[in-house]
Amino acid sequence: MTKRLNSAIVLAIAGLLALTGCSTIAVKAADIPDAPARGGILQYGTDIQPVAGGIDPYTSQAFSGMNFWVQIYEPLLTRDDRGNIQPGLAAKWEQLDATTYRFHLRENAKFSNGAPLRAEDVEYSLETMAASGNLQARLLTEFESATVIDDHTVDAHLSGPSGTFLGVVSDAGTGSIVNKDWYSSASKEQRQRTAMGTGPFQLTGWQDNVVLELRRNEHYWDPTLPHLDGIDFRIFPDEQSRLAALRQGSVDAIWLGDEQLAEQVQGEGFEIGHNAATRSLNLFIDSTGGPTADTRIRQAISKAMDREKIALLASYGYGKIGGIVPVGDPAAIAHPEDLPNYAHDPEGARALLEKADAVGTKVTITYPSDASFSRDVALYEVMKEQLRAVGIELVLNPLPWADTLSKYISGNFKGIIAIPGVARADASAYFSGFLAPNAPANTTGAHGKKATALWQKLNTTVAPAKRKEVLQQLENEVADQVLNLVPYVVTQRQELWSPRLQGYVPDPYSFRINLKKGWLVP
């Protein structure tokens, strides 16, 4: 869908083209070296800068921060594209007993200031994660403490078996290891706007809503990486602007949410990579007050939604039916379409409303209005029509993303609030925001007691088969009580890049973590 560019965006593009040139770089196969070339600054067009906690990995919960700081910070372990745990900052690890893990750190790992990674940095990081009150803390419920064995060995002690611990410490978005001396002495503002990590790049500049400048970490533990001298993440909230910049050659790569728009470049010589279907549009519900405190009204809303039509109309045919764990995650349940209240049942919805004497009820939905979230706007209009057909008036309340996210994180919202989801460290993490007892965004009240107990059981269940069973029970309970709504699931992003960028493959977690392996044709 073509959008008219406002004057500010046009001027921004014009300025960028003047600085970087305005002709698409033609790269012939014969021009591409046999081996990766070192050097060059990759220009990457992105949608939004970090908000709500910036790039502090223990404060921010926003994907907009994660997909930047993964270039700077690293976790103890990593995951391959199939979800298998691999070495990270820990070259190897072992489980000493049911509640103790030992990590052996890379002896050549250093922070971007040249300081060596020490076991006390890991000890501090794990204990800070667990005390943060953030997503990590809600998954590290069994974590008790860490103990330094020597400079390069650290033990993690749990109070009991944990099904989530290794997921947290192997996830690039949640398991970041920080420098104890720097992090403990930096102010809250400094942690959100500056960083010191062991990753392939370091942050050297940040112009609000214009560009975040990353440059090579000369102390990176892998001497073969990164190939690039740096990355400039240039901010284009409007997707058409991003695509225009790629076509003009002022950026080398972009990502888009709109799959239709991405398909337009097929045949133009650009590479297209699709992320996994992990972007659930979660509709969090206040079950503690107002009309949505009535289970019958929440169930009527869910039954009124024709998810197949929503996937066809609101997501232009690209959407899939999914549960709380998105279908692109290997841990997702097999048949989310069979969950309670998922089948389109307008007659059943009307009967519930009549029983509750709630025909004509007004329910407010708050959602982000920024250009970078424009792909979701059609959903709210389709939902409004579907709910009106059964006797519910959906009141649309668009707000800037920063305000929407703030309301969600604090739990200060009424009715429904829409928050796009991302791939998480563990299946349990998809539920923690609205079920963890200490989470401000937990607005389930008494209706969520059984689901919370199941979520806690999932956290402490280790055996894979048993975890699947508990997850299915949890998905059923959340859908039955309608504690959260998922209209559809789509791919997180589509990445497009010119032939000038070589050696890059998108990761299924949508972190752009493999940019450290990319290189530019000279």
Side-chain angles (χ1 to χ4, degrees):
M1 185 181 297
T2 302
K3 304 178 184 69
R4 184 174 298 169
L5 305 181
N6 63 39
S7 58
I9 293 175
V10 172
L11 288 173
I13 294 174
L16 182 58
L17 296 180
L19 287 171
T20 60
C22 59
S23 61
T24 301
I25 298 173
V27 176
K28 300 177 181 178
D31 297 331
I32 301 174
D34 293 332
R38 191 177 178 96
I41 308 295
L42 175 70
Q43 302 296 317
Y44 195 110
T46 194
D47 48 357
I48 190 171
Q49 72 176 21
V51 297
I55 54 173
D56 182 340
Y58 305 151
T59 298
S60 176
Q61 299 184 59
F63 181 60
S64 61
M66 289 181 187
N67 59 59
F68 283 106
W69 79 57
V70 296
Q71 310 294 340
I72 301 168
Y73 293 109
E74 294 180 302
L76 271 176
L77 304 174
T78 59
R79 291 183 293 168
D80 63 21
D81 288 357
R82 295 184 177 182
N84 300 313
I85 296 177
Q86 304 290 339
L89 286 176
K92 60 180 181 177
W93 73 99
E94 55 197 309
Q95 188 170 0
L96 302 183
D97 55 47
T99 60
T100 308
Y101 290 87
R102 175 163 291 177
F103 300 95
H104 302 272
L105 307 180
R106 296 183 186 275
E107 295 189 8
N108 64 335
K110 294 181 179 180
F111 292 95
S112 56
N113 68 342
L117 172 68
R118 305 159 300 175
E120 65 180 68
D121 295 310
V122 175
E123 174 191 47
Y124 175 81
S125 296
L126 291 175
E127 293 183 350
T128 303
M129 288 180 206
S132 68
N134 207 336
L135 176 62
Q136 298 98 320
R138 296 196 290 271
L139 294 176
L140 293 174
T141 52
E142 308 307 309
F143 175 81
E144 284 193 331
S145 64
T147 301
V148 172
I149 304 303
D150 58 41
D151 283 350
H152 297 100
T153 311
V154 61
D155 287 354
H157 307 284
L158 312 180
S159 61
S162 172
T164 64
F165 177 73
L166 287 181
V168 173
V169 301
S170 64
D171 182 74
T174 60
S176 301
I177 300 300
V178 301
N179 179 278
K180 177 183 177 180
D181 293 341
W182 178 81
Y183 193 91
S184 61
S185 62
S187 67
K188 177 181 177 181
E189 291 72 22
Q190 287 173 323
R191 296 171 191 153
Q192 294 183 10
R193 301 281 298 192
T194 61
M196 183 185 295
T198 60
F201 298 100
Q202 58 181 318
L203 178 66
T204 58
W206 184 340
Q207 298 179 54
D208 274 332
N209 298 308
V210 177
V211 63
L212 278 84
E213 299 172 350
L214 303 183
R215 295 297 179 262
R216 178 193 288 127
N217 174 8
E218 298 294 347
H219 302 286
Y220 192 50
W221 56 265
D222 185 343
T224 68
L225 297 175
H227 301 301
L228 298 167
D229 285 336
I231 306 170
D232 286 348
F233 284 107
R234 297 198 171 272
I235 312 299
F236 297 88
D238 183 271
E239 298 215 319
Q240 289 282 2
S241 304
R242 247 171 285 146
L243 185 57
L246 179 67
R247 282 170 162 159
Q248 291 286 350
S250 57
V251 296
D252 305 297
I254 62 173
W255 71 3
L256 299 171
D258 189 333
E259 293 178 87
Q260 264 190 330
L261 194 58
E263 288 180 354
Q264 291 182 15
V265 305
Q266 288 185 349
E268 296 183 26
F270 297 109
E271 295 288 335
I272 303 177
H274 300 278
N275 297 151
T278 56
R279 187 183 187 272
S280 298
L281 190 64
N282 293 280
L283 305 183
F284 295 90
I285 304 176
D286 177 16
S287 302
T288 64
T292 49
D294 191 320
T295 301
R296 295 167 297 184
I297 293 177
R298 298 195 308 276
Q299 290 173 337
I301 292 172
S302 187
K303 289 178 180 291
M305 293 168 57
D306 185 340
R307 286 170 171 80
E308 290 188 2
K309 186 169 290 186
I310 285 172
L312 178 66
L313 299 178
S315 62
Y316 309 104
Y318 297 102
K320 301 175 177 64
I321 295 175
I324 304 302
V325 180
V327 293
D329 190 308
I333 60 172
H335 298 288
E337 68 277 4
D338 294 333
L339 289 169
N341 300 308
Y342 261 51
H344 183 221
D345 182 11
E347 292 78 13
R350 290 191 200 98
L352 284 167
L353 291 174
E354 289 171 0
K355 189 173 182 180
D357 193 23
V359 175
T361 292
K362 293 183 179 181
V363 175
T364 298
I365 183 168
T366 300
Y367 59 90
S369 60
D370 308 52
S372 53
F373 296 93
S374 60
R375 66 192 291 196
D376 300 319
V377 172
L379 163 70
Y380 312 121
E381 295 293 343
V382 172
M383 275 188 63
K384 186 173 183 177
E385 290 304 312
Q386 291 183 353
L387 268 60
R388 178 182 294 158
V390 303
I392 298 173
E393 182 179 345
L394 189 65
V395 180
L396 306 186
N397 181 37
L399 291 177
W401 169 235
D403 295 339
T404 305
L405 185 61
S406 177
K407 283 183 173 294
Y408 160 67
I409 291 174
S410 66
N412 183 29
F413 67 90
K414 300 297 180 185
I416 302 171
I417 192 165
I419 302 291
V422 298
R424 293 298 191 185
D426 182 82
S428 173
Y430 296 100
F431 299 86
S432 65
F434 66 98
L435 290 181
N438 61 343
N442 183 343
T443 56
T444 62
H447 303 289
K449 285 186 176 181
K450 183 178 178 180
T452 296
L454 286 167
W455 172 76
Q456 291 169 331
K457 184 177 181 180
L458 183 65
N459 283 342
T460 57
T461 301
V462 178
K466 185 63 176 177
R467 289 201 98 210
K468 287 184 179 181
E469 180 182 325
V470 176
L471 177 60
Q472 182 70 65
Q473 294 171 1
L474 177 54
E475 288 272 19
N476 286 341
E477 177 63 17
V478 169
D480 180 61
Q481 292 296 305
V482 194
L483 304 175
N484 186 303
L485 284 165
V486 178
Y488 58 68
V489 181
V490 293
T491 56
Q492 192 64 235
R493 296 288 194 280
Q494 285 62 235
E495 294 189 73
L496 290 69
W497 60 96
S498 82
R500 187 171 180 240
L501 174 61
Q502 294 287 318
Y504 176 64
V505 178
D507 65 279
Y509 313 109
S510 311
F511 281 140
R512 304 182 286 202
I513 197 74
N514 290 328
L515 286 175
K516 67 181 180 182
K517 299 178 182 178
W519 53 280
L520 294 173
V521 176

